[in-house]
Amino acid sequence: MATNNLSYQFKTANIVIKLIAINAILFLFATLGSWIFKTSPDALMEWFVLPAAFNALIIQFWGVLTYSFLHFGFWHIFWNMLMLYWFGQFVLNLFTEKRFLTIYLLGAICGGLLFVLAYNFLPVLSGHSGYLIGASAAVLAIVIFIATYTPNAEVRIIFFNVKLWQIGLFVVLSDLVQLPTSGNAGGLIAHMGGALFGYMYAMQLKKGNDIGAWFEKLMDGIVNLFKPGKKKSPLKTVHKSKTHKRATKKTTSSSAKNPNQVKIDAILDKISKSGYDSLTKEEKDFLFKAGKE
């Protein structure tokens, strides 16, 4: 009964909660598995990390994505998942879960690719071996995306209201300041790859260009491969009812003029022109409720 309940909760949860759950489960698997088999988490999950060397990456090409779901330290996963939860809600209030996942996954890929390029072409890192794990690049893509798209939206931090653009700038600058002296230069470079993608995506989206549309189509194609084929009915339609056709047109027409969608479009247009902070409390509440439906 408990298992069925957990399964139901996972299926009905939004994409942010699902990603947090997947990351947490893999973290527990790596941690507990290392205790049981008396080995290190990296040895247990070595086939899913992102190797820095080109020759290793060719053999383990899936690592450019799977690395972003692995964490071997508690505080590493804690802060990543906390930021994902906070800023993920902002994104889901304005966009679909599919777009959120596109930002997350492409942010992870861009961060991973920049990490590999840095290790192979930067003189400071060239010749060093290593691997990359963690969702930081994907999470930063989410943070910087929403901070760029709605820069004037505010969050409450203890006693102060802070704008999203200020948080985004602080996160990026803190990574850049640590870069010359950090022992995790490769990880910080990956952060910048995710952040850069999030910024570019938001800026292009403001101009009406969806640079992630191709990836959404790719995801749809992959999902459709695993869907059972629809069986064709042996019956054939002989007559088409004109009454049914008129009713269908009428229904379609009324759906196209859905007042809720019209209001959502108007609010999104207002955000793109004046920022999230320009919305009234009523408009924010309406957008929040619409995002959960």
Side-chain angles (χ1 to χ4, degrees):
M1 183 67 72
T3 304
N4 290 337
N5 188 40
L6 286 173
S7 176
Y8 174 77
Q9 289 182 3
F10 181 81
K11 288 178 182 178
T12 56
N14 65 39
I15 189 64
V16 174
I17 301 301
K18 287 178 179 177
L19 286 171
I20 291 174
I22 292 170
N23 277 275
I25 290 168
L26 289 174
F27 170 73
L28 290 174
F29 176 80
T31 304
L32 295 176
S34 65
W35 293 345
I36 294 170
F37 298 107
K38 300 189 183 304
T39 184
S40 60
D42 54 341
L44 191 65
M45 306 293 283
E46 63 179 336
W47 281 102
F48 300 98
V49 302
L50 177 62
F54 275 129
N55 56 348
L57 180 60
I58 292 172
I59 300 171
Q60 199 168 312
F61 59 88
W62 56 83
V64 76
L65 188 57
T66 56
Y67 85 91
S68 63
F69 293 91
L70 302 179
H71 299 82
F72 297 159
F74 173 77
W75 292 112
H76 190 196
I77 187 172
F78 176 81
W79 289 114
N80 272 342
M81 296 303 101
L82 187 62
M83 290 184 69
L84 180 62
Y85 179 78
W86 278 346
F87 292 93
Q89 305 307 318
F90 279 97
V91 177
L92 290 185
N93 282 342
L94 301 177
F95 301 102
T96 64
E97 292 193 345
K98 187 185 293 184
R99 176 161 290 169
F100 176 92
L101 190 59
T102 296
I103 302 166
Y104 183 92
L105 295 180
L106 284 180
I109 292 171
C110 288
L113 290 177
L114 192 60
F115 164 81
V116 173
L117 290 173
Y119 258 85
N120 285 276
F121 294 106
L122 285 182
V124 178
L125 297 174
S126 183
H128 293 271
S129 61
Y131 61 83
L132 181 66
I133 62 166
S136 300
V139 172
L140 268 182
I142 294 292
V143 173
I144 300 305
F145 170 83
I146 197 62
T148 304
Y149 195 83
T150 57
N152 295 317
E154 295 183 344
V155 293
R156 187 78 171 176
I157 299 181
I158 308 176
F159 304 112
F160 305 98
N161 287 342
V162 183
K163 294 181 185 290
L164 290 186
W165 74 264
Q166 294 169 330
I167 296 175
L169 182 63
F170 173 79
V171 171
V172 170
L173 288 180
S174 65
D175 278 352
L176 289 175
V177 168
Q178 296 177 65
L179 196 54
T181 57
S182 173
N184 184 32
L188 294 175
I189 288 172
H191 295 184
M192 294 302 97
L196 182 61
F197 172 77
Y199 175 78
M200 290 176 57
Y201 197 165
M203 291 300 293
Q204 288 300 311
L205 204 58
K206 281 185 170 184
K207 296 176 182 178
N209 303 320
D210 185 359
I211 62 174
W214 67 272
F215 191 75
E216 291 188 13
K217 291 179 181 177
L218 177 63
M219 285 194 296
D220 287 340
I222 294 172
V223 170
N224 288 334
L225 288 176
F226 296 95
K227 283 185 177 179
K230 293 182 179 179
K231 294 182 179 180
K232 293 183 179 180
S233 171
L235 301 177
K236 293 184 179 180
T237 303
V238 179
H239 301 289
K240 289 186 178 180
S241 170
K242 293 182 180 179
T243 305
H244 173 71
K245 189 181 289 185
R246 285 196 297 269
T248 303
K249 287 182 178 179
K250 187 175 181 180
T251 303
T252 306
S253 177
S254 62
S255 298
K257 297 179 181 179
N258 185 338
N260 282 348
Q261 187 59 49
V262 172
K263 190 172 181 180
I264 290 171
D265 291 342
I267 293 174
L268 292 177
D269 188 52
K270 185 177 179 180
I271 291 173
S272 66
K273 291 178 180 178
S274 309
Y276 182 82
D277 200 39
S278 66
L279 300 184
T280 64
K281 185 179 183 304
E282 182 185 353
E283 289 172 331
K284 289 178 182 178
D285 291 341
F286 176 83
L287 200 59
F288 182 78
K289 291 176 182 177
K292 286 195 168 187
E293 292 177 355

